Structure formats: C-alpha cells, structure tokens
C-alpha cells in the first residue's frame, strides 16, 4: 500500500470516529501477533489552521516510536509567512538538544548556502526570512532514516505546516523528504534541479546539506548551489 492509500485509510477511520490505531508486529508468527500500544491519530486540520495550533496538537507526542529517545520535539523555525519553506528529513543530535531545526554542521552549511547565494544574486533575504522544518519532528536513534510509518504519521503535521504557510515554493532537502512529499521512486540525482509539485505548490529538490559536507561531493555541492539559485530567483524575483 503506498503512502497516499495509507493516508486515505487513516482519514476514513478518523472520519468515522476512530481516534487510535493498532500496529501489528512483523516479528512474530501470524497466530501470535501481539498488538502494540495504540497510536493516536494526528488531529484533523481545522479550518483556519495555524502553526501554533499544529504545535498544540502535537503536544507531548507519542504517536510513533521516535518519541522514545528524543529530548525535544523539533517543530520548525523561521518566518511563519515565508515565501519559501525548506523541508529536511529529521532532527540530528544538535537539533534534538536545542529543539531547533538545522542548527548543527549541516544547518550551518544550509544557512551559508541560502545567505551566500542570495547575496551573490542580489536577493535581499537571510535565513530568518524562510521557514525550515523536517518530515519527522523527533530524532531517529543513531540518525537512522525514519521508517515509512513514522513518516506517514508525523508527515501529517508537516503537511499541515505547509498548508498553513502556503509558500510560493518548497525546497526538499534529500531523498527521504523527497519520498515523503512526492511519493516518487526516482533517485535524487535524477530528480534534483527540476520542478515538481506538492499539491499545487512548486517543489525544487536538492541534496541534503549533510550529504554535501562530505569532501568527495564537490560536484554535488556545485549542483546544489545551482538548484538554490534557480529556486531563489523563482521565489523572490
Ligand atoms: S516523530 Fe512525530 S509522530 Fe513521532 S513521536 Fe515525534 S512528533 Fe510524534
């Protein structure tokens, strides 16, 4: 079942009054399938949703297993009326510590990329002018990739954030965020640098800054800078 179908099922059960789901374990024989703790479904987006309301609805979230090892929920930061939103995969150690997205080394690189590209292109924006968040709001243990069910559950909050801000464009950072938003099987090297759409909002895909931190990825770094240039001109010209 693909994520869109799973979402449809979840919305259907929520609409008819269910407020919890049970997940079956894959590790046990069929006859002995244990039932895990119920996962409360994300709340329906109210009319006139706001970021404050979404954060309230997240609360002290325990809707997926990522709650177990987190220190802080990393909701998102930046301009709540931004024309541009960056979406990464999930918090790392520094982000988990501070409760803010993209504050570690990868985050510093992202800041540099945004501010240096904007300044070279004569576009008067700085990092606080955009909004930055992740697909999952809690740090996956050992920085592993979030599981599909974790992205599916937490992704509902991301979608509400995007619908609330309604930016002129979204920049997707890396393959995991790309899968969460675009449900594509294409690799990032083929998808990056091109325009896609999430609902009716244009999406530019580029590499995750943590990938660009590796020394041998100089070519990817140049490509990411080009992607950003295209994106910034589209949004701010
Ligand atoms: S990752 Fe998202 S859904 Fe999972 S516990 Fe954290 S806030 Fe809740």
């Amino acid at each position: 079942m693909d994520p869109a179908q799973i979402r449809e099922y979840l919305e259907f059960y929520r609409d008819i009054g269910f407020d919890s789901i049970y997940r079956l374990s894959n590790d046990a024989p069929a006859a002995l399938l244990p039932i895990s703790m119920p996962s409360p479904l994300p709340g329906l987006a109210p009319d006139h949703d706001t970021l404050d309301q979404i954060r309230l609805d997240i609360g002290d979230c325990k809707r997926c297993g990522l709650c177990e090892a987190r220190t802080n929920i990393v909701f998102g930061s930046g301009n709540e009326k931004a024309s541009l939103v960056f979406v990464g995969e999930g918090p790392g150690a520094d982000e988990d510590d501070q409760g803010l997205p993209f504050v570690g080394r990868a985050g510093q690189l992202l800041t540099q990329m945004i501010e240096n590209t904007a300044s070279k292109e004569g576009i008067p924006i700085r990092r606080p002018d955009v909004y930055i968040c992740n697909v999952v709001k809690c740090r996956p243990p050992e920085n592993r990739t979030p599981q599909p069910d974790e992205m599916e559950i937490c992704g509902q909050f991301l979608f509400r954030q995007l619908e609330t801000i309604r930016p002129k464009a979204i920049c997707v950072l890396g393959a995991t965020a790309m899968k969460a938003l675009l449900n594509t099987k294409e690799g990032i090297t083929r998808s990056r640098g091109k325009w896609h759409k999430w609902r009716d909002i244009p999406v530019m895909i580029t590499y995750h800054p943590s990938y660009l931190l590796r020394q041998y990825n100089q070519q990817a770094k140049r490509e990411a800078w080009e992607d950003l240039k295209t994106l910034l001109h589209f949004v701010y010209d």
Side-chain angles (χ1 to χ4, degrees):
M1 202 182 286
D2 67 30
Q5 290 170 311
I6 295 171
R7 186 174 310 124
E8 234 172 77
Y9 269 92
L10 290 174
E11 283 172 359
F12 168 75
Y13 283 110
R14 186 169 53 190
D15 289 349
I16 61 173
F18 285 82
D19 58 8
S20 299
I21 52 169
Y22 291 81
R23 190 174 47 189
L24 298 179
S25 165
N26 293 326
D27 308 327
L32 298 173
L33 282 174
I35 298 175
S36 72
M37 291 299 288
S39 302
L41 293 170
L44 274 177
D47 291 340
H48 313 296
D49 207 2
T50 63
L51 293 179
D52 286 346
Q53 184 58 53
I54 301 166
R55 184 62 190 88
L56 265 178
D57 289 348
I58 291 179
D60 183 27
C61 188
K62 294 187 171 51
R63 292 174 178 87
C64 83
L66 293 182
C67 67
E68 283 160 27
R70 73 159 181 250
T71 311
N72 284 300
I73 290 176
V74 180
F75 180 65
S77 73
N79 179 357
E80 302 192 354
K81 293 187 169 36
S83 303
L84 176 57
V85 175
F86 287 83
V87 179
E89 175 177 319
D94 294 316
E95 290 76 13
D96 180 52
D97 241 22
Q98 299 182 41
L100 291 167
F102 283 91
V103 288
R105 282 181 65 223
Q108 286 159 20
L109 177 59
L110 179 64
T111 306
Q112 268 176 31
M113 287 170 68
I114 296 169
E115 299 195 348
N116 293 355
T117 312
S119 136
K120 272 190 201 138
E121 298 299 309
I123 299 167
I125 61 141
R126 297 184 63 80
R127 174 170 164 157
D129 298 313
V130 305
Y131 191 84
I132 303 182
C133 56
N134 286 302
V135 177
V136 293
K137 313 297 185 210
C138 301
R139 182 192 181 199
E142 312 298 326
N143 293 339
R144 68 159 169 76
T145 305
Q147 304 282 350
D149 63 331
E150 294 158 354
M151 295 206 288
E152 184 61 32
I153 295 169
C154 207
Q156 301 305 310
F157 297 120
L158 168 68
F159 297 160
R160 283 177 61 187
Q161 285 173 295
L162 296 174
E163 283 290 4
T164 299
I165 299 172
R166 299 282 316 160
K168 189 167 172 193
I170 298 166
C171 183
V172 158
L173 301 167
T176 304
M178 178 179 87
K179 276 190 202 123
L181 259 75
L182 302 177
N183 188 25
T184 172
K185 289 195 169 61
E186 255 198 2
I188 185 119
T189 43
R190 288 175 70 96
S191 309
R192 62 142 284 275
K194 297 181 202 148
W195 288 106
H196 304 256
K197 275 209 166 154
W198 176 79
R199 300 185 183 171
D200 59 344
I201 304 177
V203 172
M204 171 62 73
I205 296 167
T206 195
Y207 299 109
H208 194 285
S210 59
Y211 175 75
L212 302 175
L213 283 172
R214 298 173 203 158
Q215 276 311 311
Y216 51 84
N217 285 337
Q218 292 309 309
Q219 172 65 20
K221 214 179 254 183
R222 278 191 288 276
E223 289 170 348
W225 248 280
E226 283 305 313
D227 299 343
L228 214 54
K229 215 158 80 178
T230 309
L231 176 69
L232 293 181
H233 279 298
F234 172 81
V235 174
Y236 295 103
D237 278 357

